[in-house]
Amino acid sequence: MEDTLKSSRKRLPALLATVLAVASLSTTPASAARDSPDGLQGARALLRYTEQGIPHILAKDFGGLGYGYGYAVAKDNICELANGYLTLAARRSAEFGPGGTGNAALSDASTNLTSDLHFQQINDSGVVERLVAQPAPMGPRREVRDIISGYVQGYNRYLAEKGPDGITDPACHGAAWLRPITDLDVYRNVYAVTTIAGVGGAADEIVDAKPSPGAAPVAATPGTVARIADGMKSRNGDGELGSNGIAVGADGTASGHGSVLLGNPHYPWQGGRRFWQSQLTIPGEFDVSGGSLLGLPLISIGHTANAAWTHTVSTSVPFGLFEVPLVPGDQRSYLVDGKAEKMTSQTVSVEVKQPGGELKQERRTLYSTRYGPIVGSFAGIPLPWTTTSAHSLRDANATNMRVLNAWFDLNRAQSTGDLVDALKSTQGLPWVNTIGTDRAGNALYSDIQVVPHVTDQQATGCGTPLGRALFPSTGLSILDGSRTSCGWGSDPDSIEPGLFSPAKLPLQQRRDYTLNTNDSSWLANADAPITGYPRVVGDIGTPRSARTREALITAEEGIRDGGFTTSSMKQTLFGDRSRTAELAASDTAKMCAAFPGGKAPSAQGPVDVGPACAALAKWDHHYTLDSRGSLLFERFVLKLGTVPGGPWSVPFDPAKPVTTPNTLNVANPAVRQAFGDAVAELNAAGVPLDGRLRDNQAVTRNGERIPIHGAPGAVGVLNVTTPVWQSPGGNVEIVHGTSFVQVVGFEGQSCPDTSTLLTYSQSTDPTSPYFADQTKKFSRGEWVRGRFCEGDILRSPALRVVRLR
């Protein structure tokens, strides 16, 4: 049963001696009363909801924490969660037919059928069961198993209480595919998350792989290399996943002690790859607050009483390819050290709904070598399975269930030293950097995660021609699979064979600042470059993105101008300053004013620039809602990305990585046409050239238009919002961008000074009051006050308690 109430604002001093009395559902405050000494009155979990529907989950043990978490997250997101479990069970085609678009939260499969074949292969293989069966540290530790078991029970309780017909979200109201889940469903979700950059990102390539007897091997041409390199960019912050993390230590704060952390992951705004916010507390034992990836009942990004951390997508490549020579006359056997080995085969069968509603079995036989599954292409480039060779993909995360232990240990950390210990002891983070701070004033950057042991020398000596051409620019290895000596190496202190030791991966602790915005580890601090790490981890001495340059300049300016506070860090993020505009907007305005007859060249012929020149000349180079001309500049910058040789007159200088390249080459005809094409694009969309951003960039929730500030990463704005351009209309939706954002400060006070915002809000249910409330706050540049300490929770004017017995 549930008991829901509101408390008065009276401060209750001690956690174990204070809880709210049971009352009926009411919108009026109820008086606070002392509870039993255990603080739970026999309940398994207590959910204390504060502003914006954020639950602070209190329990006596880890099973109770999971129980409360499962119930609360299901209440907010049951349809999205159930859609994920349907995907993991390989039942999308049976329910929705073979088409559709798969489920981008769990793999890059392009259709329901491909998704089902991919996940059915994983399920049939039993790999998840084997990983979970291992003792810690390779398998989940006892506390993690208890959390997940409790989560499953809490989720199932909510579903049983409501039933399919009681679900208010129209996305699954009354759906036959709503079902109870098991612990295995949750572990399968974990496996999908860890392998999303490897086998999950290659689902189509694996499922569609088949012998092509007449095909020729792919050649290592510049075009092939360039196309694969472009395909790799999507996993390094240029696609759906990216982030900013800025850690300021004591020497960079205004007070000269403590620290400030900005965590700003850029994630999709739709679908299941989203965050959900909560606090998890076992009095005296466990207390952590932050955002979780949906369906994973631990805090992914957050803080404890004395430490805070965030993650950014790393440039490390957690997988590699192996080309194997085939036995003449047998396309299903290959040679290793001169000896023939049979490929392993697995026939996968899934049910597919037909146009008439009946179900039909679809079968596919998938093949693997000792290295991993055969792929028929990669990053949009065919890698044909010819009569002479085939390519296999090895995913370093294919044996990683340790990520749960890593997050559990991060959830208990009380210092940056504890954060590092968690990363080193588990080697469980799959494809992310870690940026952290602590109360002692330390700032941390780390790329300690799962990284294949491929040295630069090995990539050269064992690389195929295509591999040798690709590795320097991408870090992707394609090795000779015919020699065991060319397999991944290992270090004595790595947690399992095939991985680099944590000692060989980037790590930096400082007292001023460290940061990452999806470029490599090289410039975590502008004055202290990190070097000496393997190329598979990332590049060194190469141009930084406009967003990285903005972050570095922001950090340096903030420290130089008196040091950071939590308030100034929040203002920095939502100030929406564009680094690309700082470099090029003035020159763009001058170029605009100089076009003969006020007309710019475009692919459609000369176009009137009209009021664009004046707007750009007056523009403050920010992407706030009332800025004029910013949208025109954004569309211009996006087109500059295709200018041959780049749009800058002053090239990149490794000795000046923060300030170069610079100076827009306004004499370049391609630059001039890019501007004209942007003008023509706005004209076609019905967007005024000097229009305000608020009038031309928004999302619509329950029929209400909500203006959104920010811009794509290409314009060098930290607050990334990647919009959907529509003609007519302008930017009518956000694909991905700023998601769960936190600013955490540790100063003299015992309680962390925290502000958060979940830009797309807590719930995916459009009937929920928490479906768009934080989206509106984001539009207004407002934050949600962090309530971590017990007194703050109990003083919340929105306090509402649900007791789960």
Side-chain angles (χ1 to χ4, degrees):
M1 62 178 290
E2 298 181 15
D3 300 308
T4 306
L5 55 82
K6 285 189 176 181
S7 79
S8 69
R9 299 186 186 183
K10 179 180 178 182
R11 183 174 183 178
L12 301 181
L15 169 62
L16 297 182
T18 58
V19 159
L20 306 174
V22 178
S24 61
L25 284 167
S26 174
T27 57
T28 59
S31 61
R34 292 186 180 275
D35 213 321
S36 60
D38 68 6
L40 291 165
Q41 274 194 340
R44 190 171 182 192
L46 204 67
L47 313 180
R48 287 98 60 82
Y49 286 95
T50 57
E51 294 93 326
Q52 276 60 59
I54 298 169
H56 304 259
I57 302 167
L58 181 70
K60 292 183 290 186
D61 54 38
F62 289 104
L65 276 189
Y67 189 71
Y69 184 106
Y71 188 92
V73 74
K75 185 178 180 67
D76 284 339
N77 297 287
I78 185 69
C79 292
E80 201 60 66
L81 287 163
N83 184 39
Y85 297 128
L86 179 76
T87 300
L88 295 162
R91 297 287 298 170
R92 297 190 66 80
S93 298
E95 295 293 340
F96 309 131
T101 55
N103 184 334
L106 299 171
S107 81
D108 285 350
S110 60
T111 67
N112 290 335
L113 179 58
T114 300
S115 174
D116 288 342
L117 292 168
H118 168 70
F119 284 110
Q120 191 63 55
Q121 185 275 329
I122 292 173
N123 297 346
D124 290 347
S125 74
V127 60
V128 176
E129 292 89 329
R130 290 193 297 274
L131 295 177
V132 172
Q134 299 175 107
M138 303 305 288
R141 57 189 297 159
R142 181 71 264 164
E143 299 94 331
V144 169
R145 295 177 190 273
D146 289 346
I147 290 172
I148 287 178
S149 292
Y151 167 87
V152 168
Q153 295 164 27
Y155 176 97
N156 288 342
R157 171 178 171 169
Y158 179 78
L159 181 58
E161 285 182 358
K162 295 297 181 182
D165 291 337
I167 301 300
T168 57
D169 188 343
C172 67
H173 170 73
W177 46 268
L178 285 169
R179 63 170 177 84
I181 62 171
T182 67
D183 292 16
L184 182 57
D185 288 305
V186 183
Y187 289 119
R188 284 174 172 170
N189 189 18
V190 173
Y191 190 77
V193 169
T194 60
T195 58
I196 188 70
V199 293
D204 284 356
E205 291 89 338
I206 293 169
V207 168
D208 294 338
K210 59 184 177 182
S212 303
V218 64
T221 65
T224 297
V225 172
R227 287 170 61 190
I228 293 180
D230 286 343
M232 292 286 291
K233 287 182 180 179
S234 63
R235 63 172 304 278
N236 295 334
D238 292 337
E240 284 199 342
L241 298 180
S243 301
N244 302 317
I246 302 177
V248 178
D251 293 349
T253 66
S255 65
H257 60 266
S259 60
V260 178
L261 177 77
L262 168 67
N264 176 215
H266 306 147
Y267 265 59
W269 276 37
Q270 296 85 25
R273 194 180 291 180
R274 60 189 285 133
F275 289 95
W276 182 77
Q277 188 175 355
S278 67
Q279 181 176 358
L280 305 176
T281 305
I282 299 175
E285 183 175 357
F286 193 83
D287 200 7
V288 62
S289 182
S292 306
L293 292 175
L294 198 62
L296 301 184
L298 288 164
I299 299 302
S300 306
I301 289 173
H303 69 91
T304 63
N306 299 301
W309 80 98
T310 190
H311 297 307
T312 60
V313 176
S314 170
T315 59
S316 294
V317 182
F319 57 90
L321 297 173
F322 287 84
E323 184 174 12
V324 294
L326 302 183
V327 173
D330 184 359
Q331 283 189 280
R332 292 171 177 81
S333 296
Y334 60 102
L335 296 168
V336 179
D337 294 336
K339 297 180 181 179
E341 291 186 15
K342 276 284 186 185
M343 294 180 183
T344 57
S345 64
Q346 184 177 343
T347 299
V348 179
S349 179
V350 299
E351 288 189 320
V352 179
K353 179 183 285 187
Q354 304 302 300
E358 69 278 10
L359 296 177
K360 179 182 178 181
Q361 293 287 326
E362 176 84 17
R363 291 180 173 83
R364 194 80 55 90
T365 300
L366 309 179
Y367 292 87
S368 297
T369 70
R370 59 164 61 189
Y371 305 109
I374 297 290
V375 294
S377 61
F378 187 81
I381 299 295
L383 296 176
W385 181 350
T386 70
T387 56
T388 58
S389 71
H391 289 79
S392 281
L393 187 149
R394 181 175 177 184
D395 187 346
N397 283 299
T399 55
N400 181 15
M401 195 57 66
R402 304 179 306 276
V403 63
L404 289 167
N405 298 334
W407 272 324
F408 181 84
D409 287 348
L410 291 174
N411 285 193
R412 298 192 304 175
Q414 299 297 324
S415 67
T416 56
D418 289 347
L419 296 175
V420 173
D421 287 345
L423 301 176
K424 288 183 175 180
S425 63
T426 62
Q427 274 190 271
L429 292 186
W431 30 262
V432 292
N433 304 288
T434 302
I435 298 90
T437 55
D438 63 19
R439 188 175 294 279
N442 298 306
L444 165 72
Y445 166 78
S446 166
D447 196 12
I448 296 174
Q449 55 148 318
V450 173
V451 181
H453 195 293
V454 179
T455 65
D456 296 3
Q457 295 77 13
Q458 184 184 21
T460 299
C462 287
T464 67
L466 180 58
R468 290 194 299 271
L470 273 171
F471 190 77
S473 62
T474 66
L476 173 64
S477 62
I478 307 179
L479 303 179
D480 179 1
S482 72
R483 294 182 280 165
T484 54
S485 61
C486 287
W488 290 355
S490 194
D491 290 321
D493 54 344
S494 60
I495 200 164
E496 68 177 6
L499 303 182
F500 272 116
S501 158
K504 295 183 178 178
L505 300 176
L507 175 67
Q508 185 176 75
Q509 296 198 67
R510 296 180 60 83
R511 300 285 290 181
D512 53 357
Y513 77 90
T514 63
L515 60 82
N516 184 264
T517 65
N518 306 125
D519 274 322
S520 69
S521 306
W522 178 45
L523 285 189
N525 181 288
D527 295 326
I530 304 173
T531 59
Y533 50 84
R535 177 61 187 86
V536 68
V537 173
D539 51 21
I540 295 171
T542 59
R544 304 292 89 178
S545 72
R547 181 157 52 93
T548 292
R549 295 166 70 182
E550 175 62 20
L552 290 166
I553 290 171
T554 291
E556 299 277 351
E557 286 179 347
I559 294 172
R560 186 177 63 247
D561 294 343
F564 280 96
T565 64
T566 53
S567 294
S568 67
M569 185 64 82
K570 290 187 291 185
Q571 292 166 2
T572 292
L573 180 65
F574 285 173
D576 295 310
R577 183 175 67 179
S578 165
R579 178 52 36 194
T580 310
E582 293 290 304
L583 293 169
S586 295
D587 287 339
T588 303
K590 294 174 183 177
M591 177 181 70
C592 180
F595 282 126
K599 294 183 181 293
S602 79
Q604 290 77 42
V607 292
D608 290 321
V609 293
C613 307
L616 289 174
K618 296 176 182 177
W619 180 37
D620 64 358
H621 305 167
H622 291 64
Y623 276 79
T624 55
L625 290 180
D626 290 319
S627 68
R628 293 183 179 273
S630 58
L631 189 56
L632 171 61
F633 188 76
E634 172 189 309
R635 303 307 297 178
F636 173 48
V637 169
L638 294 178
K639 296 180 187 308
L640 288 179
T642 64
V643 171
W648 307 106
S649 297
V650 177
F652 171 70
D653 181 353
K656 301 176 181 178
V658 179
T659 58
T660 61
N662 60 53
T663 310
L664 187 67
N665 186 359
V666 296
N668 186 336
V671 170
R672 298 168 69 83
Q673 180 171 320
F675 185 81
D677 288 342
V679 170
E681 190 173 49
L682 263 67
N683 289 340
V687 175
L689 299 181
D690 61 348
R692 299 182 304 172
L693 191 63
R694 73 166 60 246
D695 297 325
N696 300 288
Q697 181 167 285
V699 298
T700 301
R701 300 292 182 264
N702 285 337
E704 182 178 357
R705 185 181 181 278
I706 305 171
I708 300 296
H709 56 102
V715 303
V717 169
L718 296 181
N719 176 35
V720 169
T721 53
T722 304
V724 174
W725 177 261
Q726 181 175 295
S727 184
N731 290 335
V732 296
E733 183 54 78
I734 302 299
V735 177
H736 81 281
T738 292
S739 53
F740 172 70
V741 56
Q742 62 172 359
V743 172
V744 182
F746 296 108
E747 291 286 349
Q749 67 273 25
S750 59
C751 198
D753 177 12
T754 306
S755 296
T756 68
L757 196 69
L758 191 59
T759 56
Y760 37 64
S761 305
Q762 281 277 80
S763 178
T764 50
D765 180 358
T767 70
S768 167
Y770 309 117
F771 173 67
D773 57 328
Q774 292 195 62
T775 310
K776 296 174 185 177
K777 292 183 77 70
F778 177 52
S779 175
R780 297 190 295 266
E782 298 173 356
W783 294 74
V784 177
R785 175 181 174 180
R787 296 186 180 272
F788 181 77
C789 292
E790 186 65 11
D792 269 345
I793 296 170
L794 297 179
R795 283 192 296 270
S796 170
L799 186 62
R800 180 173 55 90
V801 175
V802 175
R803 182 172 286 107
L804 299 176
R805 298 191 183 279

